[in-house]
Amino acid sequence: MTSAKAEGRFVTPSFALEPDGEAPYFRREFTVDTAPERALLHVTALGIVEPYVNGERVGDEVLAPGWTSYRHRVVVSTHDVTALITPGANVLGAIVGEGWAVGRIGFAAVAESGENADRFHYAERPALFARLELTYADHVDVIATDESFQCATGAVLAHSLYDGETYDARREPDGWHTPGFDAAGWTPAVVYPWDPGTLVPRTAEPIRRVEELAPVSVTTSPSGRTIVDFGQNLAGWIRLTTTGEAGRTVTLRHAEILTPDGELDPTSLRTAACVDRYTLRGGGTEIWEPRFTFHGFRYAEIDGPFDEVAAVVVHSDMPRTGWLETSHELVDRFHANAVWSMRGNFVGLPTDCPQRDERMGWTGDIHAFAPAAAFLYDVRGVLGSWLDDLAAEQREKGSVPVTVPDVLGGHLLVPTALWGDVAVALPWILHREYGDPAVLRRAYPSMTAFVHDVEKRLDAEGLWSQGFQFGDWLDPDAPDDDASGGKTDKYLVACAYFAKTTRIMADTARILGETEDAAHFAALDTRVREAFRREFVTPAGRVAGESATAYALAIAFDLLTPEQEAKAGARLAEVVTRAKFAISTGFAGTPLVLPALSKTGHLDEAYRLLLRKRCPSFLYPVTQGATTIWERWDAIRPDGTMHPAEMTSFNHYALGSAVDWLHRTVGGLTPEEPGYRRMRVAPRPGPGLDHAALRHITVHGEVRVSWRVTGTRMDVGVTIPPGTTATVVLPAHPDAAEEHVDAGTHAWSYDLPDGFRPQAGNTLDTPLPVLVGDPDVWPEVAAVFAARLPQVPIAHAAKAGPGTTLRTVLDRYDADAATRDAVSAALGEPTPETRD
Ligand code: BGC
């Protein structure tokens, strides 16, 4: 690519182009005497480019070059087009849509006011860069974009990422990309001023069409419209197959949900229209897909004739590296939903959502989700490239912007916890996953700059106590119109995250041999942690505010003494139990609440939190048919209506960050050394699950872990790749056995200790307030008491202390064996007759 930097300019048509009007077509005809030994096309655009050679679409990338911080980095793709070049006349052509560089991106409310405030972030018109290198035995010929390219418009009449594409097939200039085309009326391109020093080779996997989904239903809505359900919320577009007369238009409207009465509901798209229009040329079967837009959708309303439609799933084509399945159908769907939300939000860069007028690289969302993402897919390419953008934006702006690339015009250009500190967390997560300190070295200036930026804002106590913070964003108890107004003190969140950050920094400096920095960051870390404890923790271990998030942060980030941590764990378990396992955390606490419970020995509570089905909970959206992770716990409320807040999407991965706990604790795999050369396998079965199987492709090869409880027996299987070792902690082993194993397949089978029944859900030992909250069992249990022990004030069970269980009540009232069995049966527990 050095050569691409040296030659070639961006070009654009000389004629006027309307914003979101017709897209420019470019062509250049040239002659070669003999076929070259090799022909390489380097191509990119300010906009979205679709390149052609001699009528053939070049490569399989879509939405190229994707979105980077173009002012600093414009990604160039390189395609081998040797087979397409023939002796004689040839044509290099391209269509360029507005894409992120020119088109509408961002919500105008936060941009400068005025018309077009949310467009032209990088360029006022689409521009093409291409450089075709034809290599012969003794020389290289180069065809590069310059004024010899000719331009016109064609069939693409509108091409907005948010609003959709309009294509009139009658207007396609037939043969425009093949030799001999009559280009009368095409006009020479002009150079578009753009620094070629911004060109960089592609390092991330390109965006591709990854999968196609057939409709699961095509129905007619009450108002008579045709509604197609693809059965899955996704990012991409529809491939349309149609037949009809010339000039008829098929309109494809996309949305994530339907109204309760079955009409398309575009509310979650906000101002993004998400409508594609195709006008037929007539005369046979026509197949069409848009190329310059994408939509976040599950449903489409189709107006006009069509023979067939398919949803084309589009995202960065990263290798899949992580899988998990369990005995619990809803947990598996929750996990699948997180995978689908990742797929929908890795369209070139990590975004918040793929549907509404945002789709931006919000830093906090990927900070929360990155550990899960790095397990599920190989994210080195996409997130490595994004980190380069982050560093570039940070260098230019002096702080990490809240979105990368930044198109909010410096809106909120202050360091923030969970958002800006992704600058430090993400390189560390990538290092831990892939074991390559080069990522730390590359990001080091950005990491240190972030920490220094916060350090200078600390107060005399060492606390991060002023300035804007997102806090525990979207805490379910926050007011509908104030997502950052949750229960947990914003500065507690900020200080806790900063302590995590400073510790990573000290470790990073040590790994990189930056001894002085390491000492500085270690001292800063101690200062921040001590300040946190002084300000927010009682000597005995209560954490200010006593929210689940406050406890989760303090525990997960090692902010407490061992005694305090034990107490805090117990308090967290109590807080969670008292809430009847309703989830009460937002973006900041959700990735940490399950780990904090299991770390402090409250595994049962963690499982109960995971498995609750009523709103709000991890599984509630699953029970409502969700196929992706929702932005809010109650994006669809129990009465079936959509949450009224403007900010309600059905495809936001942040709250799916809890699947990281599934991988580490239910599946049981963690690296003991970055990159998993040494790993720890310690699955922890809990109530409600009797089986889990995990598969993970590490940089050393594939790891498999599985466990299964059958009656009183446990079977564990572990396979690890060559060159690795594992410490295996056998779950619920009577002797708490720990094994050290080398590469290969290992299996264990043993009797479980008495009383260990992970498959059981509620038991006689389940706290009463928990049971009361479980609509699946409580009515039956209450009926048994009414019939057999009417003297028990069972109606007040919800107010019982967490230490009160059915067993303590039955003991207190001297219940007979038959009553005990009846209660057990109501719980779905085996009675003595059925017990083996
Ligand atoms: C986005 C979030 C983001 C937040 C921060 C929202 O509009 O969708 O996920 O992190 O803004 O302000």
Side-chain angles (χ1 to χ4, degrees):
M1 270 316 308
T2 32
S3 52
K5 280 188 182 177
E7 254 186 88
R9 319 277 296 273
F10 280 85
V11 293
T12 188
S14 58
F15 48 78
L17 286 169
E18 285 302 310
D20 194 23
E22 293 164 275
Y25 287 48
F26 298 79
R27 77 187 301 274
R28 158 81 203 267
E29 195 155 334
F30 60 95
T31 309
V32 301
D33 296 336
T34 50
E37 283 174 8
R38 200 156 102 106
L40 287 185
L41 175 64
H42 306 291
V43 62
T44 190
L46 298 170
I48 292 171
V49 61
E50 193 177 63
Y52 291 87
V53 168
N54 293 333
E56 297 280 333
R57 170 79 156 79
V58 174
D60 56 3
E61 299 186 5
V62 296
L63 300 174
W67 187 12
T68 50
S69 179
Y70 299 132
R71 269 185 300 280
H72 312 99
R73 302 174 66 242
V74 179
V75 169
V76 179
S77 296
T78 296
H79 304 278
D80 189 332
V81 293
T82 314
L84 299 179
I85 305 290
T86 51
N90 292 269
V91 170
L92 170 59
I95 311 174
V96 182
E98 292 191 337
W100 297 271
V102 184
R104 190 156 84 85
I105 289 293
F107 35 100
V110 297
E112 314 290 348
S113 56
E115 209 190 336
N116 292 327
D118 52 1
R119 52 164 53 247
F120 306 137
H121 291 296
Y122 303 89
E124 315 81 62
R125 33 201 297 123
L128 170 70
F129 172 93
R131 180 184 156 85
L132 177 63
E133 291 169 6
L134 305 166
T135 304
Y136 297 91
D138 53 353
H139 73 287
V140 179
D141 285 341
V142 173
I143 309 288
T145 33
D146 58 16
E147 292 91 338
S148 68
F149 276 64
Q150 291 184 299
C151 303
T153 54
V156 181
L157 305 184
H159 43 108
S160 157
L161 282 167
Y162 286 169
D163 298 322
E165 185 165 328
T166 301
Y167 186 92
D168 185 342
R170 297 169 305 175
R171 309 256 315 250
E172 181 72 1
D174 284 333
W176 68 275
H177 38 31
T178 54
F181 170 77
D182 176 8
W186 287 54
T187 55
V190 294
V191 168
Y192 186 83
W194 189 266
D195 177 9
T198 55
L199 298 179
V200 293
R202 165 172 301 295
T203 48
E205 294 81 3
I207 307 168
R208 292 201 176 97
R209 308 157 78 263
V210 178
E211 189 179 346
E212 279 179 24
L213 300 179
V216 294
S217 71
V218 180
T219 50
T220 303
S221 73
S223 71
R225 289 159 218 263
T226 303
I227 304 283
V228 179
D229 177 4
F230 291 100
Q232 174 61 54
N233 199 1
L234 58 95
W237 51 69
I238 290 174
R239 193 185 59 233
L240 168 73
T241 307
T242 178
T243 324
E245 14 160 323
R248 279 209 68 177
T249 296
V250 184
T251 304
L252 307 157
R253 297 176 195 283
H254 306 75
E256 294 185 289
I257 54 165
L258 299 180
T259 61
D261 51 0
E263 303 290 346
L264 198 78
D265 185 351
T267 314
S268 70
L269 312 175
R270 285 199 315 222
T271 72
C274 304
V275 179
D276 294 338
R277 292 185 181 84
Y278 178 79
T279 301
L280 283 80
R281 68 188 312 165
T285 300
E286 299 175 44
I287 299 176
W288 178 76
E289 293 177 21
R291 283 83 46 92
F292 303 107
T293 190
F294 70 94
H295 312 293
F297 69 104
R298 168 176 169 168
Y299 301 95
E301 178 188 305
I302 305 186
D303 180 16
F306 69 95
D307 306 327
E308 220 175 84
V309 283
V312 181
V313 180
V314 164
H315 54 80
S316 294
D317 197 4
M318 309 160 286
R320 179 86 190 259
T321 55
W323 296 263
L324 178 87
E325 54 161 59
T326 72
S327 53
H328 200 295
E329 217 180 303
L330 301 184
V331 170
D332 285 3
R333 185 65 231 193
F334 171 62
H335 189 266
N337 289 358
V339 174
W340 272 105
S341 277
M342 175 167 177
R343 298 178 70 182
N345 284 294
F346 269 66
V347 181
L349 75 162
T351 56
D352 55 338
C353 57
Q355 77 295 83
R356 70 177 175 225
D357 48 3
E358 285 202 56
R359 317 185 193 182
M360 292 192 285
W362 281 101
T363 49
D365 302 51
I366 188 58
H367 185 173
F369 193 70
F375 175 88
L376 295 169
Y377 281 90
D378 185 339
V379 292
R380 280 175 287 186
V382 175
L383 295 184
S385 169
W386 185 76
L387 274 175
D388 286 349
D389 286 334
L390 181 148
E393 297 272 11
Q394 181 191 19
R395 261 196 313 275
E396 180 194 325
K397 302 193 164 131
S399 225
V400 178
V402 287
T403 63
V404 171
D406 175 27
V407 288
L408 299 182
H411 168 73
L412 293 183
L413 201 57
V414 287
T416 46
L418 187 61
W419 272 254
D421 56 6
V422 75
V424 176
L426 185 53
W428 186 253
I429 291 163
L430 297 178
H431 171 59
R432 189 179 62 188
E433 178 63 33
Y434 304 107
D436 182 2
V439 67
L440 298 177
R441 174 49 73 197
R442 191 175 176 88
Y444 194 66
S446 156
M447 298 168 82
T448 48
F450 176 82
V451 176
H452 291 316
D453 194 6
V454 179
E455 190 179 355
K456 66 178 191 242
R457 296 167 199 259
L458 298 182
D459 66 18
E461 299 295 314
L463 295 166
W464 195 357
S465 59
Q466 47 89 32
F468 173 81
Q469 290 293 342
F470 292 96
D472 191 20
W473 184 257
L474 283 174
D475 172 332
D477 299 313
D480 285 352
D481 58 353
D482 180 12
S484 62
K487 300 179 288 293
T488 312
D489 180 344
K490 284 178 194 176
Y491 296 114
L492 182 154
V493 174
C495 292
Y497 269 89
F498 194 53
K500 169 179 100 144
T501 299
T502 51
R503 180 148 299 171
I504 291 175
M505 231 30 249
D507 290 343
T508 299
R510 207 170 315 117
I511 290 168
L512 297 178
E514 301 284 352
T515 324
E516 252 174 64
D517 282 2
H520 172 80
F521 292 129
L524 178 62
D525 183 51
T526 308
R527 180 168 164 236
V528 169
R529 280 162 197 272
E530 280 171 0
F532 182 93
R533 277 197 294 272
R534 264 198 317 272
E535 181 77 9
F536 299 115
V537 187
T538 66
R542 279 184 195 250
V543 182
E546 300 224 78
S547 67
T549 291
Y551 280 113
L553 293 169
I555 294 167
F557 296 158
D558 295 318
L559 289 161
L560 309 172
T561 64
E563 299 73 34
Q564 287 174 330
E565 187 174 291
K567 167 86 178 205
R571 281 297 297 158
L572 173 59
E574 239 172 279
V575 167
V576 163
T577 304
R578 273 195 185 280
K580 300 191 188 134
F581 303 99
I583 194 80
S584 64
T585 50
F587 279 24
T590 298
L592 306 169
V593 63
L594 295 169
L597 284 166
S598 54
K599 181 185 181 196
T600 50
H602 301 281
L603 190 66
D604 279 20
E605 285 84 352
Y607 270 84
R608 289 182 181 283
L609 190 59
L610 171 72
L611 296 181
R612 174 180 152 116
K613 296 195 274 296
R614 286 195 310 146
C615 186
S617 66
F618 288 112
L619 298 186
Y620 165 72
V622 178
T623 67
Q624 300 301 300
T627 61
T628 36
I629 303 292
W630 296 348
E631 180 173 21
R632 296 173 179 272
W633 297 112
D634 56 348
I636 296 284
R637 297 178 300 182
D639 65 5
T641 59
M642 184 179 156
H643 194 288
E646 256 204 348
M647 206 184 68
T648 301
S649 116
F650 294 89
N651 201 354
H652 250 71
Y653 49 48
L655 298 180
S657 54
V659 299
D660 185 48
W661 184 81
L662 292 180
H663 303 146
R664 292 165 170 274
T665 308
V666 177
L669 178 66
T670 44
E672 249 180 5
E673 181 184 300
Y676 297 87
R677 205 174 57 80
R678 288 188 303 116
M679 67 196 95
R680 185 175 171 83
V681 176
R684 298 181 64 190
L689 254 57
D690 58 19
H691 165 68
L694 166 148
R695 192 150 73 87
H696 185 39
I697 299 174
T698 71
V699 289
H700 298 283
E702 185 170 307
V703 176
R704 282 171 185 263
V705 179
S706 66
W707 58 267
R708 182 182 292 280
V709 177
T710 318
T712 57
R713 245 181 128 69
M714 172 72 86
D715 287 290
V716 178
V718 175
T719 302
I720 61 169
T724 65
T725 60
T727 303
V728 181
V729 184
L730 292 172
H733 191 275
D735 309 321
E738 209 174 282
E739 308 263 344
H740 297 276
V741 300
D742 293 325
T745 295
H746 311 270
W748 296 267
S749 185
Y750 46 91
D751 282 327
L752 290 162
D754 279 354
F756 182 86
R757 284 206 313 276
Q759 67 272 47
N762 293 307
T763 68
L764 291 181
D765 301 313
T766 304
L768 271 198
V770 175
L771 280 180
V772 177
D774 190 336
D776 300 339
V777 297
W778 184 247
E780 278 191 60
V781 172
V784 173
F785 276 94
R788 293 176 162 270
L789 285 175
Q791 68 274 36
V792 178
I794 206 72
H796 303 299
K799 298 202 189 80
T804 311
T805 65
L806 287 175
R807 194 185 302 283
T808 63
V809 175
L810 292 169
D811 288 349
R812 196 176 316 141
Y813 287 88
D814 267 340
D816 59 22
T819 302
R820 285 169 191 270
D821 283 348
V823 171
S824 291
L827 288 174
E829 283 215 297
T831 56
E833 301 82 68
T834 58
R835 230 172 262 153
D836 49 18

